[in-house]
Amino acid sequence: SLPDIESKTVAIKSGDPVYSMCDQDFLNWPIQYPPLPMFQGDDHWMTEGQEAIVKLHSWTSVAIIGIAILYVFFLSQLAETIKSIFVGTYEPSGVLYGTDFSDVPGDVFEAYVPQVPAKGFSYPLITCDITGIDNKFIGWKDDDGDPSEHVLFTDIPAEVTGNKDKPIFSIMKHWKPPAAKKSPEKKSPDKVRGAYY
């Protein structure tokens, strides 16, 4: 059963204050941002001082949020980080001059040939078989003209180095395109590869 409710009579006189709910959910549709005094409704319950403070806080929040957005997307690295997830950012550098790798002029044109600097030696020790590449790819030129003296591969017995299934040294190979097949319209690409074990 319902409890006994005492009934009372309420008298409203002219000039009595009227109270209404202050809805501060300005993100609810329709969005009312920035929360300016113009959104207070027809009652205009704010005083002039309150409206001035609300305007100040509203436009200050707009400025802070705008500065934060500008910083995040234009001054920080966050935009580039997010962009790199969806879009490739690689840009090739340099200029193509139409010269094949094998046709680069000069006696020395350094490729990545595994080498180890050693004390007491004028040149680094080469730690791979270089019989399959041009000597200019080593990156330096011996005064005697024979870089094989600096190759550790030749100091190992053939019983060890001859195992092609499990080589103990890196293998360098250079496939030079045949000169007869070259044409300005289509050129065979050069290839330099190294296998590491």
Side-chain angles (χ1 to χ4, degrees), residues 72-124:
V72 169
F73 289 99
F74 296 100
L75 301 178
S76 69
Q77 299 296 324
L78 178 61
E80 292 297 327
T81 303
I82 296 176
K83 181 180 178 182
S84 64
I85 298 176
F86 304 98
V87 181
T89 57
Y90 170 76
E91 294 183 1
S93 60
V95 180
L96 295 176
Y97 291 99
T99 303
D100 288 336
F101 184 82
S102 299
D103 298 332
V104 175
D107 296 333
V108 176
F109 185 70
E110 184 176 2
Y112 183 70
V113 179
Q115 304 177 42
V116 177
K119 294 182 178 180
F121 292 86
S122 302
Y123 298 95

Side-chain angles (χ1 to χ4, degrees), residues 18 69 86 131 192:
V18 178
I69 292 175
F86 304 98
T131 56
V192 176

Side-chain angles (χ1 to χ4, degrees), residues 112-114 128 167 169-172 193-197:
Y112 183 70
V113 179
C128 68
F169 284 94
S170 299
I171 300 174
M172 297 296 298
R193 294 182 180 177
Y196 305 97
Y197 297 89

Side-chain angles (χ1 to χ4, degrees), residues 18-40:
V18 178
Y19 299 94
S20 60
M21 184 187 69
C22 179
D23 186 4
Q24 298 184 1
D25 188 8
F26 59 89
L27 294 180
N28 193 11
W29 188 262
I31 296 176
Q32 299 175 351
Y33 184 84
L36 295 170
M38 67 176 62
F39 299 121
Q40 62 183 307

Side-chain angles (χ1 to χ4, degrees), residues 40-66:
Q40 62 183 307
D42 297 332
D43 296 337
H44 292 284
W45 51 270
M46 294 185 185
T47 64
E48 293 183 0
Q50 289 175 331
E51 290 184 356
I53 293 298
V54 169
K55 288 181 181 179
L56 177 63
H57 282 273
S58 298
W59 291 118
T60 302
S61 67
V62 172
I64 293 175
I65 293 175

